[in-house]
Amino acid sequence: MEALVPVLKSHPGASVLVFTLMFRVIHRLLQRLPVPKVVRQDDFSTWKWKNLSVSVVHSLLTGTWALTCVAVWPEMLSNIYSYHTPLSYLLVCISTGYFVQDAGDIILTGHAKASWEFLVHHVVVISCFLYSLYTELYVAGAVTALFVEVNSVTLHLRLLMKLAGAQSSSMYHINKVVNILTYIPFRIGTQAYLTWYIIHNYAWLTNGLFFLISMIVMDIMILVYFYRLLRADFFPRSKKSVGYNGTYNNNSKKFPCD
């Protein structure tokens, strides 16, 4: 580890590309797993299933990793600007590789137009994470931001079960409750803390305006998606079609802000 991180810091761009390829390999390996028959009925659902499978792997890895980093080094919460450790830098590097891979998967498979919200999210995240990797600033902030991946596990599982037609199962109903319960502290709470930190320390932070705008964009997306989740899972209006984010809408290729 001590020998690896200096190499990553010397070549952050190349390091991100290596981890991008790593997640692409994971994508290929997951394609060998069986896919429910109902999912295989159309190409778009099949692609969504494979795409989300990679996202679950990323969420399990980075969500657990981020929590562990902060538990071992609590200074990361109080100094998200300049504090970081080799493990936290590696985490941000790996996660950036995932987001680059996922954005590329969406674009190269022809789903960019239908997933513009999702791509906006990825552009914001990749921009912030790359800034952290190149400057070694806000690395702790990036790690804290990855707390959202704890909620992403249930978020992705929710949609996988929808794709498999398991909305009436007890597992789905348990998951949708857990999803909301984790959404509030790990997604809304995390985002609120980061936004507060930027505003509270704005006067002396380097490129504070860039990060403040990024936080506001993410705040809006997270709150809008929270509303969509509540409406879809607890106050459904109709059942015309299931979108990418698991909400009912007339556009079956709509993506979430995740």
Side-chain angles (χ1 to χ4, degrees), residues 119-158:
L119 288 177
V120 167
H121 168 274
H122 278 20
V123 168
V124 173
V125 172
I126 292 171
S127 299
C128 293
F129 282 18
L130 282 178
Y131 179 92
S132 296
L133 293 175
Y134 274 98
T135 64
E136 298 182 34
L137 298 175
Y138 298 99
V139 175
V143 172
T144 303
L146 287 171
F147 280 11
V148 303
E149 296 302 329
V150 175
N151 168 253
S152 290
V153 174
T154 57
L155 199 61
H156 297 323
L157 289 176
R158 170 182 175 275

mmCIF file of all heavy atoms in Angstrom, residues 119-158:
data_model
loop_
_atom_site.group_PDB
_atom_site.id
_atom_site.type_symbol
_atom_site.label_atom_id
_atom_site.label_comp_id
_atom_site.label_asym_id
_atom_site.label_seq_id
_atom_site.Cartn_x
_atom_site.Cartn_y
_atom_site.Cartn_z
ATOM 1 N N LEU A 119 -26.034 11.311 -16.309
ATOM 2 C CA LEU A 119 -24.742 11.762 -16.800
ATOM 3 C C LEU A 119 -24.319 13.085 -16.154
ATOM 4 O O LEU A 119 -23.130 13.300 -15.905
ATOM 5 C CB LEU A 119 -24.784 11.908 -18.326
ATOM 6 C CG LEU A 119 -24.817 10.585 -19.105
ATOM 7 C CD1 LEU A 119 -24.932 10.850 -20.595
ATOM 8 C CD2 LEU A 119 -23.579 9.740 -18.805
ATOM 9 N N VAL A 120 -25.284 13.959 -15.890
ATOM 10 C CA VAL A 120 -24.970 15.204 -15.189
ATOM 11 C C VAL A 120 -24.371 14.884 -13.821
ATOM 12 O O VAL A 120 -23.364 15.465 -13.398
ATOM 13 C CB VAL A 120 -26.216 16.100 -15.033
ATOM 14 C CG1 VAL A 120 -25.963 17.231 -14.032
ATOM 15 C CG2 VAL A 120 -26.627 16.681 -16.380
ATOM 16 N N HIS A 121 -25.001 13.939 -13.138
ATOM 17 C CA HIS A 121 -24.496 13.496 -11.834
ATOM 18 C C HIS A 121 -23.072 12.988 -11.956
ATOM 19 O O HIS A 121 -22.176 13.362 -11.178
ATOM 20 C CB HIS A 121 -25.402 12.399 -11.272
ATOM 21 C CG HIS A 121 -24.828 11.685 -10.084
ATOM 22 N ND1 HIS A 121 -23.987 10.602 -10.216
ATOM 23 C CD2 HIS A 121 -24.960 11.894 -8.755
ATOM 24 C CE1 HIS A 121 -23.631 10.176 -9.021
ATOM 25 N NE2 HIS A 121 -24.210 10.945 -8.113
ATOM 26 N N HIS A 122 -22.817 12.150 -12.951
ATOM 27 C CA HIS A 122 -21.489 11.573 -13.120
ATOM 28 C C HIS A 122 -20.445 12.629 -13.454
ATOM 29 O O HIS A 122 -19.307 12.568 -12.975
ATOM 30 C CB HIS A 122 -21.529 10.503 -14.214
ATOM 31 C CG HIS A 122 -22.027 9.174 -13.732
ATOM 32 N ND1 HIS A 122 -22.762 9.031 -12.588
ATOM 33 C CD2 HIS A 122 -21.884 7.923 -14.246
ATOM 34 C CE1 HIS A 122 -23.056 7.745 -12.409
ATOM 35 N NE2 HIS A 122 -22.528 7.052 -13.414
ATOM 36 N N VAL A 123 -20.807 13.595 -14.294
ATOM 37 C CA VAL A 123 -19.871 14.662 -14.656
ATOM 38 C C VAL A 123 -19.472 15.453 -13.412
ATOM 39 O O VAL A 123 -18.291 15.779 -13.214
ATOM 40 C CB VAL A 123 -20.488 15.596 -15.719
ATOM 41 C CG1 VAL A 123 -19.645 16.861 -15.869
ATOM 42 C CG2 VAL A 123 -20.591 14.884 -17.059
ATOM 43 N N VAL A 124 -20.454 15.762 -12.563
ATOM 44 C CA VAL A 124 -20.171 16.507 -11.329
ATOM 45 C C VAL A 124 -19.246 15.707 -10.420
ATOM 46 O O VAL A 124 -18.239 16.217 -9.910
ATOM 47 C CB VAL A 124 -21.477 16.860 -10.587
ATOM 48 C CG1 VAL A 124 -21.161 17.478 -9.222
ATOM 49 C CG2 VAL A 124 -22.321 17.822 -11.414
ATOM 50 N N VAL A 125 -19.577 14.436 -10.231
ATOM 51 C CA VAL A 125 -18.769 13.588 -9.346
ATOM 52 C C VAL A 125 -17.353 13.409 -9.886
ATOM 53 O O VAL A 125 -16.369 13.560 -9.155
ATOM 54 C CB VAL A 125 -19.435 12.211 -9.157
ATOM 55 C CG1 VAL A 125 -18.497 11.268 -8.402
ATOM 56 C CG2 VAL A 125 -20.750 12.352 -8.407
ATOM 57 N N ILE A 126 -17.240 13.082 -11.159
ATOM 58 C CA ILE A 126 -15.921 12.868 -11.757
ATOM 59 C C ILE A 126 -15.079 14.124 -11.688
ATOM 60 O O ILE A 126 -13.878 14.071 -11.369
ATOM 61 C CB ILE A 126 -16.068 12.401 -13.222
ATOM 62 C CG1 ILE A 126 -16.685 10.996 -13.270
ATOM 63 C CG2 ILE A 126 -14.706 12.392 -13.927
ATOM 64 C CD1 ILE A 126 -17.070 10.531 -14.667
ATOM 65 N N SER A 127 -15.688 15.274 -11.941
ATOM 66 C CA SER A 127 -14.952 16.543 -11.882
ATOM 67 C C SER A 127 -14.407 16.803 -10.481
ATOM 68 O O SER A 127 -13.233 17.161 -10.309
ATOM 69 C CB SER A 127 -15.858 17.706 -12.308
ATOM 70 O OG SER A 127 -16.298 17.547 -13.627
ATOM 71 N N CYS A 128 -15.264 16.619 -9.474
ATOM 72 C CA CYS A 128 -14.843 16.850 -8.081
ATOM 73 C C CYS A 128 -13.781 15.848 -7.646
ATOM 74 O O CYS A 128 -12.782 16.219 -7.005
ATOM 75 C CB CYS A 128 -16.048 16.775 -7.155
ATOM 76 S SG CYS A 128 -17.254 18.110 -7.363
ATOM 77 N N PHE A 129 -13.988 14.586 -7.992
ATOM 78 C CA PHE A 129 -13.037 13.553 -7.585
ATOM 79 C C PHE A 129 -11.693 13.728 -8.273
ATOM 80 O O PHE A 129 -10.638 13.543 -7.651
ATOM 81 C CB PHE A 129 -13.609 12.168 -7.874
ATOM 82 C CG PHE A 129 -14.632 11.705 -6.857
ATOM 83 C CD1 PHE A 129 -15.251 12.601 -6.005
ATOM 84 C CD2 PHE A 129 -14.988 10.365 -6.765
ATOM 85 C CE1 PHE A 129 -16.194 12.177 -5.070
ATOM 86 C CE2 PHE A 129 -15.927 9.929 -5.841
ATOM 87 C CZ PHE A 129 -16.526 10.828 -4.986
ATOM 88 N N LEU A 130 -11.694 14.064 -9.563
ATOM 89 C CA LEU A 130 -10.428 14.269 -10.270
ATOM 90 C C LEU A 130 -9.674 15.461 -9.684
ATOM 91 O O LEU A 130 -8.444 15.429 -9.562
ATOM 92 C CB LEU A 130 -10.680 14.482 -11.761
ATOM 93 C CG LEU A 130 -10.968 13.231 -12.589
ATOM 94 C CD1 LEU A 130 -11.256 13.604 -14.031
ATOM 95 C CD2 LEU A 130 -9.802 12.241 -12.526
ATOM 96 N N TYR A 131 -10.408 16.513 -9.344
ATOM 97 C CA TYR A 131 -9.768 17.670 -8.701
ATOM 98 C C TYR A 131 -9.068 17.215 -7.416
ATOM 99 O O TYR A 131 -7.927 17.610 -7.145
ATOM 100 C CB TYR A 131 -10.802 18.743 -8.396
ATOM 101 C CG TYR A 131 -10.222 19.962 -7.722
ATOM 102 C CD1 TYR A 131 -9.795 21.056 -8.476
ATOM 103 C CD2 TYR A 131 -10.082 20.019 -6.332
ATOM 104 C CE1 TYR A 131 -9.238 22.177 -7.861
ATOM 105 C CE2 TYR A 131 -9.528 21.130 -5.710
ATOM 106 C CZ TYR A 131 -9.118 22.205 -6.480
ATOM 107 O OH TYR A 131 -8.559 23.304 -5.861
ATOM 108 N N SER A 132 -9.750 16.395 -6.628
ATOM 109 C CA SER A 132 -9.169 15.907 -5.375
ATOM 110 C C SER A 132 -7.927 15.064 -5.621
ATOM 111 O O SER A 132 -6.929 15.173 -4.904
ATOM 112 C CB SER A 132 -10.209 15.081 -4.606
ATOM 113 O OG SER A 132 -11.310 15.878 -4.224
ATOM 114 N N LEU A 133 -7.985 14.222 -6.638
ATOM 115 C CA LEU A 133 -6.858 13.337 -6.922
ATOM 116 C C LEU A 133 -5.637 14.105 -7.415
ATOM 117 O O LEU A 133 -4.501 13.778 -7.059
ATOM 118 C CB LEU A 133 -7.261 12.295 -7.966
ATOM 119 C CG LEU A 133 -8.315 11.271 -7.514
ATOM 120 C CD1 LEU A 133 -8.720 10.377 -8.669
ATOM 121 C CD2 LEU A 133 -7.797 10.427 -6.350
ATOM 122 N N TYR A 134 -5.859 15.137 -8.223
ATOM 123 C CA TYR A 134 -4.737 15.900 -8.764
ATOM 124 C C TYR A 134 -4.155 16.876 -7.754
ATOM 125 O O TYR A 134 -2.948 17.130 -7.753
ATOM 126 C CB TYR A 134 -5.172 16.651 -10.026
ATOM 127 C CG TYR A 134 -5.066 15.827 -11.282
ATOM 128 C CD1 TYR A 134 -6.177 15.175 -11.810
ATOM 129 C CD2 TYR A 134 -3.848 15.684 -11.954
ATOM 130 C CE1 TYR A 134 -6.094 14.412 -12.970
ATOM 131 C CE2 TYR A 134 -3.741 14.917 -13.107
ATOM 132 C CZ TYR A 134 -4.867 14.287 -13.617
ATOM 133 O OH TYR A 134 -4.764 13.526 -14.760
ATOM 134 N N THR A 135 -4.986 17.453 -6.902
ATOM 135 C CA THR A 135 -4.505 18.459 -5.945
ATOM 136 C C THR A 135 -4.265 17.896 -4.551
ATOM 137 O O THR A 135 -3.618 18.543 -3.723
ATOM 138 C CB THR A 135 -5.523 19.602 -5.817
ATOM 139 O OG1 THR A 135 -6.751 19.082 -5.259
ATOM 140 C CG2 THR A 135 -5.812 20.234 -7.177
ATOM 141 N N GLU A 136 -4.829 16.696 -4.273
ATOM 142 C CA GLU A 136 -4.778 16.071 -2.949
ATOM 143 C C GLU A 136 -5.520 16.912 -1.918
ATOM 144 O O GLU A 136 -5.236 16.855 -0.719
ATOM 145 C CB GLU A 136 -3.337 15.809 -2.511
ATOM 146 C CG GLU A 136 -2.597 14.837 -3.427
ATOM 147 C CD GLU A 136 -1.185 14.533 -2.959
ATOM 148 O OE1 GLU A 136 -0.973 14.488 -1.728
ATOM 149 O OE2 GLU A 136 -0.308 14.351 -3.818
ATOM 150 N N LEU A 137 -6.474 17.698 -2.393
ATOM 151 C CA LEU A 137 -7.362 18.468 -1.518
ATOM 152 C C LEU A 137 -8.774 17.902 -1.628
ATOM 153 O O LEU A 137 -9.135 17.331 -2.652
ATOM 154 C CB LEU A 137 -7.369 19.946 -1.922
ATOM 155 C CG LEU A 137 -6.037 20.695 -1.833
ATOM 156 C CD1 LEU A 137 -6.197 22.106 -2.386
ATOM 157 C CD2 LEU A 137 -5.532 20.744 -0.389
ATOM 158 N N TYR A 138 -9.557 18.044 -0.570
ATOM 159 C CA TYR A 138 -10.942 17.574 -0.526
ATOM 160 C C TYR A 138 -11.059 16.042 -0.671
ATOM 161 O O TYR A 138 -12.128 15.528 -0.986
ATOM 162 C CB TYR A 138 -11.790 18.225 -1.625
ATOM 163 C CG TYR A 138 -11.908 19.722 -1.541
ATOM 164 C CD1 TYR A 138 -11.104 20.550 -2.331
ATOM 165 C CD2 TYR A 138 -12.814 20.330 -0.676
ATOM 166 C CE1 TYR A 138 -11.206 21.934 -2.265
ATOM 167 C CE2 TYR A 138 -12.929 21.714 -0.605
ATOM 168 C CZ TYR A 138 -12.122 22.508 -1.402
ATOM 169 O OH TYR A 138 -12.226 23.880 -1.335
ATOM 170 N N VAL A 139 -9.969 15.324 -0.450
ATOM 171 C CA VAL A 139 -10.026 13.861 -0.538
ATOM 172 C C VAL A 139 -10.955 13.307 0.540
ATOM 173 O O VAL A 139 -11.776 12.423 0.288
ATOM 174 C CB VAL A 139 -8.622 13.230 -0.402
ATOM 175 C CG1 VAL A 139 -8.726 11.711 -0.366
ATOM 176 C CG2 VAL A 139 -7.734 13.673 -1.560
ATOM 177 N N ALA A 140 -10.837 13.848 1.742
ATOM 178 C CA ALA A 140 -11.723 13.425 2.830
ATOM 179 C C ALA A 140 -13.174 13.758 2.502
ATOM 180 O O ALA A 140 -14.095 13.022 2.870
ATOM 181 C CB ALA A 140 -11.317 14.089 4.140
ATOM 182 N N GLY A 141 -13.387 14.879 1.816
ATOM 183 C CA GLY A 141 -14.738 15.240 1.395
ATOM 184 C C GLY A 141 -15.293 14.236 0.406
ATOM 185 O O GLY A 141 -16.472 13.880 0.465
ATOM 186 N N ALA A 142 -14.446 13.774 -0.510
ATOM 187 C CA ALA A 142 -14.877 12.772 -1.481
ATOM 188 C C ALA A 142 -15.219 11.459 -0.789
ATOM 189 O O ALA A 142 -16.200 10.793 -1.129
ATOM 190 C CB ALA A 142 -13.780 12.550 -2.524
ATOM 191 N N VAL A 143 -14.414 11.096 0.203
ATOM 192 C CA VAL A 143 -14.688 9.876 0.972
ATOM 193 C C VAL A 143 -16.015 10.005 1.704
ATOM 194 O O VAL A 143 -16.842 9.083 1.715
ATOM 195 C CB VAL A 143 -13.549 9.589 1.967
ATOM 196 C CG1 VAL A 143 -13.932 8.441 2.910
ATOM 197 C CG2 VAL A 143 -12.269 9.250 1.216
ATOM 198 N N THR A 144 -16.235 11.156 2.330
ATOM 199 C CA THR A 144 -17.499 11.392 3.030
ATOM 200 C C THR A 144 -18.671 11.327 2.059
ATOM 201 O O THR A 144 -19.731 10.771 2.378
ATOM 202 C CB THR A 144 -17.480 12.769 3.720
ATOM 203 O OG1 THR A 144 -16.362 12.838 4.619
ATOM 204 C CG2 THR A 144 -18.766 13.000 4.502
ATOM 205 N N ALA A 145 -18.490 11.881 0.870
ATOM 206 C CA ALA A 145 -19.550 11.846 -0.141
ATOM 207 C C ALA A 145 -19.918 10.414 -0.519
ATOM 208 O O ALA A 145 -21.063 10.136 -0.882
ATOM 209 C CB ALA A 145 -19.114 12.617 -1.387
ATOM 210 N N LEU A 146 -18.957 9.502 -0.405
ATOM 211 C CA LEU A 146 -19.214 8.103 -0.757
ATOM 212 C C LEU A 146 -20.062 7.383 0.289
ATOM 213 O O LEU A 146 -20.403 6.216 0.102
ATOM 214 C CB LEU A 146 -17.888 7.368 -0.983
ATOM 215 C CG LEU A 146 -17.185 7.743 -2.297
ATOM 216 C CD1 LEU A 146 -15.784 7.137 -2.348
ATOM 217 C CD2 LEU A 146 -18.003 7.278 -3.494
ATOM 218 N N PHE A 147 -20.411 8.057 1.377
ATOM 219 C CA PHE A 147 -21.385 7.483 2.320
ATOM 220 C C PHE A 147 -22.694 7.171 1.593
ATOM 221 O O PHE A 147 -23.444 6.281 2.006
ATOM 222 C CB PHE A 147 -21.678 8.466 3.459
ATOM 223 C CG PHE A 147 -20.630 8.498 4.544
ATOM 224 C CD1 PHE A 147 -19.406 7.875 4.384
ATOM 225 C CD2 PHE A 147 -20.877 9.163 5.729
ATOM 226 C CE1 PHE A 147 -18.447 7.909 5.381
ATOM 227 C CE2 PHE A 147 -19.934 9.206 6.745
ATOM 228 C CZ PHE A 147 -18.717 8.579 6.569
ATOM 229 N N VAL A 148 -22.987 7.916 0.541
ATOM 230 C CA VAL A 148 -24.239 7.705 -0.184
ATOM 231 C C VAL A 148 -24.310 6.295 -0.755
ATOM 232 O O VAL A 148 -25.413 5.774 -1.019
ATOM 233 C CB VAL A 148 -24.423 8.726 -1.321
ATOM 234 C CG1 VAL A 148 -24.368 10.146 -0.792
ATOM 235 C CG2 VAL A 148 -23.387 8.529 -2.434
ATOM 236 N N GLU A 149 -23.150 5.658 -0.944
ATOM 237 C CA GLU A 149 -23.146 4.324 -1.528
ATOM 238 C C GLU A 149 -23.753 3.279 -0.597
ATOM 239 O O GLU A 149 -24.155 2.205 -1.035
ATOM 240 C CB GLU A 149 -21.729 3.928 -1.928
ATOM 241 C CG GLU A 149 -21.112 4.804 -3.021
ATOM 242 C CD GLU A 149 -21.940 4.825 -4.295
ATOM 243 O OE1 GLU A 149 -22.601 3.817 -4.599
ATOM 244 O OE2 GLU A 149 -21.920 5.862 -4.990
ATOM 245 N N VAL A 150 -23.823 3.587 0.689
ATOM 246 C CA VAL A 150 -24.505 2.681 1.623
ATOM 247 C C VAL A 150 -25.974 2.577 1.220
ATOM 248 O O VAL A 150 -26.555 1.485 1.164
ATOM 249 C CB VAL A 150 -24.384 3.192 3.074
ATOM 250 C CG1 VAL A 150 -25.206 2.309 4.014
ATOM 251 C CG2 VAL A 150 -22.927 3.233 3.501
ATOM 252 N N ASN A 151 -26.569 3.720 0.905
ATOM 253 C CA ASN A 151 -27.949 3.722 0.436
ATOM 254 C C ASN A 151 -28.072 3.169 -0.975
ATOM 255 O O ASN A 151 -29.082 2.552 -1.327
ATOM 256 C CB ASN A 151 -28.514 5.139 0.479
ATOM 257 C CG ASN A 151 -29.825 5.269 -0.256
ATOM 258 O OD1 ASN A 151 -29.885 5.858 -1.345
ATOM 259 N ND2 ASN A 151 -30.890 4.699 0.288
ATOM 260 N N SER A 152 -27.043 3.360 -1.789
ATOM 261 C CA SER A 152 -27.099 2.899 -3.172
ATOM 262 C C SER A 152 -27.262 1.382 -3.269
ATOM 263 O O SER A 152 -27.806 0.876 -4.247
ATOM 264 C CB SER A 152 -25.831 3.327 -3.927
ATOM 265 O OG SER A 152 -25.809 4.724 -4.123
ATOM 266 N N VAL A 153 -26.792 0.657 -2.257
ATOM 267 C CA VAL A 153 -26.961 -0.799 -2.266
ATOM 268 C C VAL A 153 -28.445 -1.150 -2.323
ATOM 269 O O VAL A 153 -28.890 -1.922 -3.177
ATOM 270 C CB VAL A 153 -26.310 -1.434 -1.023
ATOM 271 C CG1 VAL A 153 -26.613 -2.933 -0.978
ATOM 272 C CG2 VAL A 153 -24.800 -1.196 -1.032
ATOM 273 N N THR A 154 -29.247 -0.586 -1.418
ATOM 274 C CA THR A 154 -30.677 -0.879 -1.415
ATOM 275 C C THR A 154 -31.378 -0.230 -2.602
ATOM 276 O O THR A 154 -32.357 -0.758 -3.121
ATOM 277 C CB THR A 154 -31.328 -0.383 -0.110
ATOM 278 O OG1 THR A 154 -31.079 1.024 0.048
ATOM 279 C CG2 THR A 154 -30.771 -1.139 1.086
ATOM 280 N N LEU A 155 -30.849 0.902 -3.053
ATOM 281 C CA LEU A 155 -31.429 1.590 -4.205
ATOM 282 C C LEU A 155 -31.309 0.724 -5.458
ATOM 283 O O LEU A 155 -32.259 0.569 -6.224
ATOM 284 C CB LEU A 155 -30.722 2.925 -4.409
ATOM 285 C CG LEU A 155 -31.416 3.994 -5.251
ATOM 286 C CD1 LEU A 155 -32.741 4.399 -4.622
ATOM 287 C CD2 LEU A 155 -30.507 5.207 -5.398
ATOM 288 N N HIS A 156 -30.136 0.147 -5.659
ATOM 289 C CA HIS A 156 -29.919 -0.711 -6.827
ATOM 290 C C HIS A 156 -30.677 -2.035 -6.701
ATOM 291 O O HIS A 156 -31.236 -2.530 -7.683
ATOM 292 C CB HIS A 156 -28.431 -0.983 -7.014
ATOM 293 C CG HIS A 156 -27.622 0.250 -7.287
ATOM 294 N ND1 HIS A 156 -28.087 1.294 -8.055
ATOM 295 C CD2 HIS A 156 -26.369 0.613 -6.886
ATOM 296 C CE1 HIS A 156 -27.164 2.238 -8.138
ATOM 297 N NE2 HIS A 156 -26.121 1.855 -7.415
ATOM 298 N N LEU A 157 -30.687 -2.595 -5.489
ATOM 299 C CA LEU A 157 -31.424 -3.847 -5.282
ATOM 300 C C LEU A 157 -32.907 -3.647 -5.553
ATOM 301 O O LEU A 157 -33.583 -4.529 -6.093
ATOM 302 C CB LEU A 157 -31.209 -4.358 -3.857
ATOM 303 C CG LEU A 157 -29.820 -4.915 -3.540
ATOM 304 C CD1 LEU A 157 -29.731 -5.297 -2.064
ATOM 305 C CD2 LEU A 157 -29.510 -6.126 -4.422
ATOM 306 N N ARG A 158 -33.412 -2.488 -5.171
ATOM 307 C CA ARG A 158 -34.814 -2.151 -5.408
ATOM 308 C C ARG A 158 -35.161 -2.233 -6.884
ATOM 309 O O ARG A 158 -36.161 -2.820 -7.280
ATOM 310 C CB ARG A 158 -35.070 -0.746 -4.868
ATOM 311 C CG ARG A 158 -36.420 -0.131 -5.234
ATOM 312 C CD ARG A 158 -36.499 1.287 -4.676
ATOM 313 N NE ARG A 158 -37.715 1.968 -5.096
ATOM 314 C CZ ARG A 158 -37.834 2.607 -6.258
ATOM 315 N NH1 ARG A 158 -36.818 2.645 -7.099
ATOM 316 N NH2 ARG A 158 -38.982 3.198 -6.571
#
